[in-house]
Amino acid sequence: MDDDFFNLRGEGTDRGYSSGVKLEFYFTKKNKPKFPANFLMKIIDNPDNIYGLGLTQFIYTPTDISRSDIIYGDRPYSGVTYFSYNLISSSSIKKQRLSTTISLGTIGKYSYANEAQTWFHNIINYQKPEGWNNQIATDIIINYFVDYERQLFKPSPNLEIIGDIQANAGTLTNNMGLGIRFRAGLFNDYFSNYERPTFRDKRVGQTDMRKFQCFFFMKTTGMAVMDDATLQGGFFTHNASPYKISKDSINRFYMQYEYGITIAKKRLGISFSEKIRTPDFKGT
């Protein structure tokens, strides 16, 4: 779960990206992959493969949610909900990971972002969002995501740097990014999908799995953007949206910086991170 209200400086708002929630269930497959799993990509040479099923919802709002009229020059109301099927294919020997995800869902009214945000704000006795009647029009979401990560530098067991290249293609967003991840502290192999010793592949020598982990991490990513349905409207119904951001106002490149901490014991862990981004479009 993430929310713009939770941040270390106490500057919580509903401006821009407001909140999101993701539920995922991971499992292994011994049989030969069938549709749609055969559309997901694997690393060659005996990788560890973990499949996942997920449900995700993202909520975007303008700066002032007390207004019911369209706030021109600000972000449009937008909600996205989709189901996902993904594969994380990792190699502890080659120190690389390939993640691919197929997503199918909706943007607009039937994402139920209005209902979710209103319900949560009622619980915490916070401002009711009044402008959801002006949200991005309903459309279908079909997206394909690829993320390739590889260890670049590990001078000690307690410090590592990982490179990352990723791309999204579909009706939700089309973009491509490069990133660098930094980890420092007590941590297990980033490129192992398993935390239980009974599931470890003894052939790669993973006999030193830590029972306790505590580490700090940072990640910087630069993204080149072609389009974004949460700003410009859906692929098929963009002209039906009451308000949207013009293509000339979209920032074609943005930077995102993330930092956080993870604490874990055996298979139970908690992680908190904060993300800071440059604007999605001009004037904000």
Side-chain angles (χ1 to χ4, degrees), residues 14-142:
D14 279 299
R15 179 181 64 232
Y17 176 72
S18 179
S19 63
V21 62
K22 177 181 288 187
L23 301 173
E24 289 184 302
F25 173 74
Y26 289 95
F27 56 94
T28 57
K29 292 172 67 74
K30 293 183 178 180
N31 57 324
K32 185 177 180 180
K34 300 179 181 179
F35 179 85
N38 49 8
F39 281 92
L40 302 174
M41 294 184 283
K42 301 177 183 178
I43 292 175
I44 59 175
D45 296 335
N46 299 318
D48 291 334
N49 295 322
I50 292 287
Y51 292 85
L53 294 172
L55 174 63
T56 301
Q57 183 184 67
F58 293 138
I59 299 174
Y60 303 87
T61 62
T63 303
D64 186 357
I65 63 172
S66 67
R67 292 174 54 177
S68 60
D69 60 320
I70 295 175
I71 307 176
Y72 292 96
D74 209 331
R75 204 184 219 284
Y77 279 86
S78 179
V80 178
T81 299
Y82 59 81
F83 293 96
S84 60
Y85 188 45
N86 66 296
L87 169 62
I88 301 175
S89 183
S90 298
S91 172
S92 292
I93 298 175
K94 294 185 174 182
K95 301 301 180 185
Q96 56 185 351
R97 171 185 287 182
L98 179 62
S99 304
T100 48
T101 304
I102 300 172
S103 301
L104 178 63
T106 183
I107 186 173
K109 177 181 178 180
Y110 297 106
S111 70
Y112 296 105
N114 176 10
E115 290 79 1
Q117 187 177 53
T118 301
W119 170 78
F120 185 70
H121 281 202
N122 285 337
I123 288 179
I124 63 175
N125 195 28
Y126 190 60
Q127 171 67 53
K128 179 182 178 181
E130 300 288 355
W132 278 104
N133 288 334
N134 305 313
Q135 69 177 301
I136 293 293
T138 300
D139 209 329
I140 189 171
I141 294 300
I142 304 174

Side-chain angles (χ1 to χ4, degrees), residues 108-207:
K109 177 181 178 180
Y110 297 106
S111 70
Y112 296 105
N114 176 10
E115 290 79 1
Q117 187 177 53
T118 301
W119 170 78
F120 185 70
H121 281 202
N122 285 337
I123 288 179
I124 63 175
N125 195 28
Y126 190 60
Q127 171 67 53
K128 179 182 178 181
E130 300 288 355
W132 278 104
N133 288 334
N134 305 313
Q135 69 177 301
I136 293 293
T138 300
D139 209 329
I140 189 171
I141 294 300
I142 304 174
N143 242 73
Y144 193 86
F145 172 71
V146 180
D147 186 12
Y148 176 73
E149 298 168 282
R150 189 183 187 102
Q151 187 181 96
L152 300 178
F153 187 54
K154 189 173 184 179
S156 80
N158 306 112
L159 178 67
E160 71 176 347
I161 297 176
I162 298 168
D164 173 38
I165 181 170
Q166 58 183 269
N168 270 293
T171 63
L172 178 59
T173 184
N174 290 276
N175 57 36
M176 177 172 285
L178 292 173
I180 294 289
R181 182 188 299 271
F182 168 88
R183 296 203 303 170
L186 304 175
F187 49 77
N188 284 327
D189 184 8
Y190 183 82
F191 300 97
S192 173
N193 285 333
Y194 308 112
E195 291 294 336
R196 276 197 296 181
T198 53
F199 279 95
R200 292 204 306 267
D201 188 348
K202 302 296 193 299
R203 292 174 299 174
V204 299
Q206 292 177 345
T207 58

